[in-house]
């Protein structure tokens, strides 16, 4: 080392010696470079079902988030940086979600993640994302299995969690329909267990009795569960299944002359027109209510800016039948969370700063039924719903917002 210094000019030697002395300290004081950040851009990794049978759950949700990021970029970006997105198709399968997330983190080196429209597949990516430390704001997946127990860098349920679905439907049935004995049909899997857990919690709090029929999601004959609920003389029936079992239950309820109010949870409402066509009769909707997570009816004046922005951003797509798809606005609140967190993190953002900022968010998106709020121990963002009377064609709003009160108890 001494010989090296002797071969260098005196000034250069002094500079090198100084660098060797102060280098480690200076390195400790300088913020480490965060992946996905440049002086002018912030790279966001997005993923959702862009193809396949489940694309209705996420294709236009991804589009909505992108158009909101584009809007922010047109308005000057965030502290001088533009949002740059990289999008992957996860097809709503666990393998594809995990592959998409790993590519975005390891190959594309994104700063944070914004994706996921289907609950079970996003759970498959939970452990990897936690180990990576990359902040993840889900799209419209309920994602209960990835949110509970709370994970340090995962945030979701921006549309609603399955637990909040269950809690809200019970709140509606007891408060609005004055139901004391409630028939509850859910799936006999983890997805169904999540919404049932909060449904039971809210029923107990509201002094109601829950009569539960858990069915296989692939069930072909729903005669038995519908007959059991009719025999139980329930005051109302809540259907917390996907669309296919829900349409079978509605048809069977009509055939068996079940005349009690039926509440259809949002899980079954990928396409209302298709639901009515598949049931085959408007008479089956003579006493039906549907759960809605938005702040108002889709396409209404309150949400007009969202649909107008969609038409401006995707004119060719907007001209096609069935576009935008029903879940499209759900992509806006997750994008709002990311933008607000990046703004709060300041001109020199880090992943830790962004995570800390998300934990403190509490705001009205103007898009969803309830406020978006997180805390250091709560990673589920939205817990409320509104409801409509639906006769198979027209929707009549029911006054009020109905929120779930279930909270994670550390089990």
């Amino acid at each position: 080392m001494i010989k090296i210094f002797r071969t260098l000019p005196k000034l250069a030697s002094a500079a090198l010696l100084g660098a060797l002395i102060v280098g480690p300290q200076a390195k400790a004081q300088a913020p480490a470079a965060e992946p996905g950040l440049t002086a002018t851009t912030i790279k966001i990794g997005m993923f959702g079902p862009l193809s396949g049978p489940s694309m209705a759950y996420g294709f236009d949700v991804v589009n909505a988030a992108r158009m909101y990021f584009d809007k922010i970029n047109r308005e000057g970006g965030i502290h001088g940086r533009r949002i740059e997105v990289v999008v992957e198709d996860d097809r709503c399968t666990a393998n594809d979600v995990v592959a998409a997330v790993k590519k975005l983190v390891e190959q594309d080196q994104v700063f944070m993640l914004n994706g996921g429209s289907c609950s079970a597949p996003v759970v498959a990516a939970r452990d990897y994302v936690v180990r990576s430390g990359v902040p993840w704001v889900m799209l419209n997946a309920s994602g209960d299995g990835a949110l509970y127990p709370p994970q340090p860098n995962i945030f979701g349920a921006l549309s609603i969690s399955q637990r909040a679905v269950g809690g809200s439907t019970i709140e509606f049935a007891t408060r609005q329909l004055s139901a004391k004995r409630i028939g509850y049909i859910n799936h006999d899997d983890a997805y169904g267990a999540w919404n049932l857990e909060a449904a039971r919690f809210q029923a107990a709090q509201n002094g109601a009795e829950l009569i539960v029929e858990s069915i296989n999601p692939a069930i072909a004959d729903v005669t038995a569960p519908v007959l059991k609920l009719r025999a139980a003389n329930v005051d109302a029936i809540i259907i917390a299944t996907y669309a296919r079992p829900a349409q079978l239950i509605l048809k069977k309820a009509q055939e068996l002359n079940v005349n009690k109010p039926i509440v259809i949870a949002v899980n079954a409402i990928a396409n209302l027109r298709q639901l009515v066509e598949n049931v085959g009769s408007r008479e089956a909707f003579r006493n039906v209510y549907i759960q809605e997570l938005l702040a108002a009816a889709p396409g209404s004046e309150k949400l007009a800016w969202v649909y107008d922005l969609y038409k401006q951003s995707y004119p060719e797509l907007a001209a096609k039948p069935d576009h935008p798809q029903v879940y499209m606005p759900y992509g806006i609140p997750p994008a709002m969370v990311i933008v607000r967190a990046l703004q709060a993190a300041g001109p020199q953002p880090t992943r830790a700063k962004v995570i800390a900022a998300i934990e403190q968010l509490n705001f009205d998106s103007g898009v969803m039924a309830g406020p978006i709020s997180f805390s250091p121990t709560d990673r589920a963002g939205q817990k409320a719903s509104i409801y409509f009377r639906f006769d198979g064609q027209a929707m009549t709003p029911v006054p009020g917002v109905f929120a779930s009160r279930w909270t994670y108890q550390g089990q």
Side-chain angles (χ1 to χ4, degrees):
M1 183 66 77
I2 294 174
K3 290 182 179 177
I4 293 174
F5 284 147
R6 283 176 177 170
T7 62
L8 295 172
K10 186 178 292 184
L11 183 60
S13 298
L16 178 58
L17 182 59
L20 288 171
I21 292 172
V22 303
Q25 184 180 2
K27 185 177 180 180
Q29 293 173 346
E34 293 274 1
L37 285 180
T38 71
T40 57
T41 61
I42 305 168
K43 188 184 291 184
I44 307 293
M46 300 189 68
F47 55 96
L50 309 180
S51 63
S54 298
M55 68 178 290
Y57 292 111
F59 175 78
D60 265 342
V61 180
V62 171
N63 284 336
R66 293 179 67 175
M67 74 187 188
Y68 188 79
F69 291 141
D70 289 342
K71 173 178 177 292
I72 296 300
N73 286 339
R74 288 194 298 272
E75 294 170 355
I78 301 173
H79 300 301
R81 290 186 174 92
R82 291 174 53 83
I83 296 174
E84 173 189 345
V85 299
V86 183
V87 183
E88 291 293 324
D89 182 3
D90 70 22
R91 287 175 281 274
C92 266
T93 71
N95 287 341
D96 287 318
V97 168
V98 173
V101 168
K102 287 186 174 180
K103 175 184 177 295
L104 291 166
V105 172
E106 297 174 10
Q107 181 176 324
D108 298 311
Q109 294 278 297
V110 300
F111 179 70
M112 62 189 299
L113 295 164
N114 178 207
S117 296
C118 300
S119 290
V122 301
V123 176
R126 176 191 58 190
D127 292 346
Y128 172 80
V129 173
V130 171
R131 288 196 303 273
S132 75
V134 178
W136 177 14
V137 177
M138 293 179 191
L139 286 172
N140 54 320
S142 63
D144 292 54
L147 298 173
Y148 302 112
Q151 304 298 323
N153 55 326
I154 299 178
F155 302 86
L158 275 303
S159 52
I160 200 166
S161 72
Q162 275 306 304
R163 287 176 169 90
V165 164
S168 171
T169 55
I170 296 298
E171 185 71 2
F172 176 77
T174 52
R175 276 180 49 196
Q176 184 65 31
L177 305 178
S178 302
K180 294 296 184 185
R181 285 171 60 80
I182 302 172
Y184 193 89
I185 306 179
N186 68 335
H187 291 319
D188 61 354
D189 55 13
Y191 186 82
W194 294 334
N195 59 56
L196 178 59
E197 181 180 355
R200 282 181 162 144
F201 173 86
Q202 200 108 346
Q205 282 211 333
N206 292 6
E209 181 183 4
L210 216 57
I211 315 298
V212 179
E213 289 293 325
S214 296
I215 62 174
N216 188 296
I219 192 170
D221 185 353
V222 296
T223 303
V226 175
L227 279 175
K228 288 179 182 178
L229 293 183
R230 189 180 71 172
N233 194 28
V234 295
D235 300 318
I237 296 174
I238 294 172
I239 303 175
T241 69
Y242 278 141
R244 184 179 173 279
Q247 67 196 34
L248 294 175
I249 294 165
L250 286 167
K251 290 179 70 170
K252 188 58 64 177
Q254 184 193 9
E255 290 173 14
L256 298 176
N257 197 30
V258 175
N259 57 7
K260 303 296 184 180
I262 295 176
V263 183
I264 304 176
V266 68
N267 311 341
I269 313 173
N271 186 325
L272 268 179
R273 188 175 66 183
Q274 190 65 54
L275 177 65
V276 176
E277 288 180 6
N278 290 344
V279 171
S281 169
R282 280 188 56 191
E283 181 61 21
F285 293 85
R286 64 187 180 278
N287 202 4
V288 166
Y289 298 85
I290 61 171
Q291 182 184 36
E292 174 58 64
L293 309 181
L294 297 173
S300 61
E301 184 178 355
K302 185 169 185 176
L303 300 172
W305 72 271
V306 178
Y307 292 87
D308 289 344
L309 187 58
Y310 182 89
K311 292 174 185 175
Q312 295 166 13
S313 303
Y314 312 107
E316 294 183 2
L317 200 55
K320 294 182 178 179
D322 293 330
H323 285 277
Q325 294 169 328
V326 65
Y327 298 126
M328 182 274 287
Y330 295 2
I332 301 294
M336 287 180 169
V337 166
I338 288 173
V339 168
R340 285 170 178 258
L342 289 169
Q343 289 170 334
Q348 302 300 328
T350 64
R351 287 169 170 168
K353 288 181 180 178
V354 168
I355 290 171
I358 297 175
E359 287 179 344
Q360 304 302 318
L361 286 180
N362 186 343
F363 68 97
D364 181 0
S365 66
V367 177
M368 307 309 294
I372 304 296
S373 66
F374 297 100
S375 77
T377 57
D378 187 359
R379 265 43 181 169
Q382 207 277 125
K383 302 175 178 64
S385 308
I386 60 174
Y387 289 82
F388 292 89
R389 183 80 180 259
F390 180 60
D391 65 3
Q393 186 172 30
M395 296 201 305
T396 304
V398 176
V401 176
F402 301 83
S404 172
R405 294 191 298 276
W406 180 90
T407 56
Y408 179 70
Q409 301 298 313
Q411 61 269 49

